[in-house]
Amino acid sequence: SQLLHAAISKSPAEKNASANLPAPAQGSLSVPARTAPEKSAPSSEALTGRAGGNGNAHAFKAMSNAAAEQRFEGERSVMTATSASARQAFLLPVVSGSGGAGKSTVAVLAAVIARKLGYETLLLDFDLQFGDMREMLGVSDVLAVDEGLAAPARLGHLVGEGGKPALLAAPRRLEAYEAIAAEGPALLDCLMPRFDVIVANTGAAWREEHALLLERSSKALFLVDQRASSLRACKHAFELCARCGIATSPFVFVANRCMKGAPLSSIDVSCAMQGAHAVELREGGRDVEELLSAGMPLDLVADRNDLCISLEQVLADLLPGPPTADEGLMGTVAEASRSLFRKRRVRRKRGVA
């Protein structure tokens, strides 16, 4: 206490002399400059956002150090700067409240139809554990999400071949999904400037990747099949999005597998979702399962399947602007169908069979 009293009782000149500082002029206020403390290099725990983690992501922890992050950021900036234009892709996730609603089928066909309509399209398989877009699209030697994150420059070479959209496939190792989901924002930043449309397939279990895709989506197809449990799960997922602060205005509710006598229609889905807009996708029959299991989506689209026709009509209302290339295979079919329906209505009004 005596030392503290002595320090307080010192005059300003004595304090400055003891600190080797010049005495301030009378009537002025002088505050010595403070130097910022030196920052130490961040630890691996700080970069990964968790201490230790679990054993499932061991193969990808090397990507969490500072050198890997700097390399990823550098390559991403180069790819973004060298893109053909400043475009941002139309991001279309396909989601549902439960499994078995037809997400994978709708996702692969939507990507194929968007490509046929002339849009430069990427099919992103973000079902990080059980995605099977390779098999359904009929390709094998394609880049996977984990491989693209390990070498971001390879993302710049994604391109579709043979009339098919480009594909970024699900990881080959199921245990890698947590580490990949954490890199989701950076992955989308790399992909968005390179394509007109990105169709994203998702898994049944709702995780962080669902929130990421829905937050950044242009529109989102929210599928409901003909089961009452599917409709209930859709309502639960919708309420979850509202609680998490995710904007629900881009959601397009889709009654899937509609046919004559089906339990649910778009009207039923709309009423259950408190008047939200809903559309219908027609039942495609056995051809859908057979051709997609064989990796032949182009043949399914070319066969004028009911599911493909109804899906293209939905996409025509959602996708921005006219296509930049030739009209898709289904365009003339859809227009011909509308023309036939108009003629039938006119005949009925005139009393002609």
Side-chain angles (χ1 to χ4, degrees), residues 29-34:
L29 179 64
S30 175
V31 179
R34 296 181 179 179

Side-chain angles (χ1 to χ4, degrees), residues 13 16-18 28 62-63 83 96 124 131 137 160 164 177 192 207 217 249 258 266 269:
N16 292 331
S18 61
S28 65
M63 288 299 297
S83 297
S96 69
L124 173 61
L137 196 59
K164 297 179 180 179
Y177 80 92
M192 293 288 280
R207 295 190 176 93
S217 66
S249 56
C258 291
S266 59
V269 174

Side-chain angles (χ1 to χ4, degrees), residues 163-185:
K164 297 179 180 179
L167 172 63
L168 186 58
R172 302 182 190 276
R173 301 173 57 175
L174 304 183
E175 66 272 15
Y177 80 92
E178 286 187 350
I180 294 173
E183 298 289 349

